[in-house]
Amino acid sequence: MAERLFFSVPLSRISQLELIRLQARLGAEMSGPARVVPAANFHLTLAFLGSVSQQQKAALLARWESLVVPEVSLELDQLAYWHRAGVICATTSRTPMALGQLAHRMRQDAAEHGLHRSHAPFRPHVSLFRSVSQLSRELPAITPVPLHINEVDLMVSVFEPHGVEYHSVRRWGGAGSLSPGNEPR
Ligand code: 2AM
């Protein structure tokens, strides 16, 4: 059975709380069918892989087994509305080079192995609202939300009756580097 997979960066509890506050502030002004992204679903996508067969997944995990996650900090310092995707997200004006390079490698690897081919340039962001058909007024300036990045997940997206859920299939970096077979000697 194929699964919908993507590489992403998890968010700390503190960052999640700051983004929840931001959602509450914006939500008061939101009209129409816009959906609030639940905090449990917050993530920063590095590479969307699309539908991945079990065979492709095993090969993907083998290729990325020894991934070393770079330690980087970034600030989500602005809001953006992406009309075509219908998304309001918190994004950054400065992408750390190491993060951009990792996303590029992942996207290139996916394309080379018959998975999703990303065309849009990598722009780190965390989606806060979906199905936003229009903005009633300009998005406000925000207090930057700092993110400290040292972990990467391979995530699976599962459609449940109450909405989409994301689960980590494999984590690299941070505590995840102590997963079986990857323990320090
Ligand atoms: P985003 O919200 O960070 O943009 C899992 O489906 C995640 O992969 C989504 O949350 C979305 O991340 C990203 N995604 C889904 N479909 C995509 C597509 N066609 N192209 C690029 N990214 C996509």
Side-chain angles (χ1 to χ4, degrees):
M1 192 193 69
E3 294 174 301
R4 192 178 159 95
L5 301 182
F6 59 104
F7 282 114
S8 73
V9 170
L11 267 61
S12 71
R13 196 69 197 134
I14 294 175
S15 307
Q16 286 183 9
L17 288 173
E18 292 194 32
L19 293 172
I20 290 170
R21 256 184 238 127
L22 199 50
Q23 280 179 323
R25 186 178 148 205
L26 289 171
E29 299 168 17
M30 207 70 70
S31 59
R35 286 182 289 120
V36 182
V37 175
N41 283 359
F42 287 162
H43 61 272
L44 188 157
T45 303
L46 293 172
F48 177 68
L49 305 176
S51 180
V52 180
S53 70
Q54 292 305 309
Q55 204 179 358
Q56 286 173 317
K57 180 177 155 186
L60 176 83
L61 285 167
R63 288 197 302 279
W64 288 98
E65 192 188 342
S66 56
L67 167 65
V68 177
V69 180
E71 281 218 31
V72 294
S73 296
L74 70 73
E75 284 190 334
L76 297 172
D77 58 4
Q78 54 188 235
L79 295 171
Y81 171 49
W82 294 339
H83 178 73
R84 270 182 55 199
V87 162
I88 291 180
C89 61
T91 183
T92 184
S93 55
R94 266 182 302 162
T95 301
M97 194 183 286
L99 193 68
Q101 285 170 343
L102 178 59
H104 178 73
R105 276 174 56 208
M106 288 173 159
R107 289 158 156 235
Q108 199 166 27
D109 176 83
E112 280 170 6
H113 292 88
L115 303 178
H116 181 80
R117 185 177 290 275
S118 303
H119 295 289
F122 173 60
R123 177 114 185 253
H125 66 277
V126 178
S127 297
L128 301 177
F129 293 91
R130 297 192 189 279
S131 308
V132 182
S133 50
Q134 64 178 66
L135 286 187
S136 47
R137 70 182 185 93
E138 217 174 290
L139 291 168
I142 58 168
T143 306
V145 177
L147 297 188
H148 182 71
I149 296 170
N150 64 358
E151 291 176 323
V152 166
D153 284 313
L154 176 65
M155 301 290 281
V156 61
S157 167
V158 184
F159 292 96
E160 298 288 353
H162 57 268
V164 69
E165 281 184 10
Y166 305 130
H167 302 285
S168 175
V169 172
R170 169 82 160 87
R171 176 167 287 187
W172 292 263
S177 55
L178 296 179
S179 60
N182 200 13
E183 294 177 18
R185 289 162 200 233

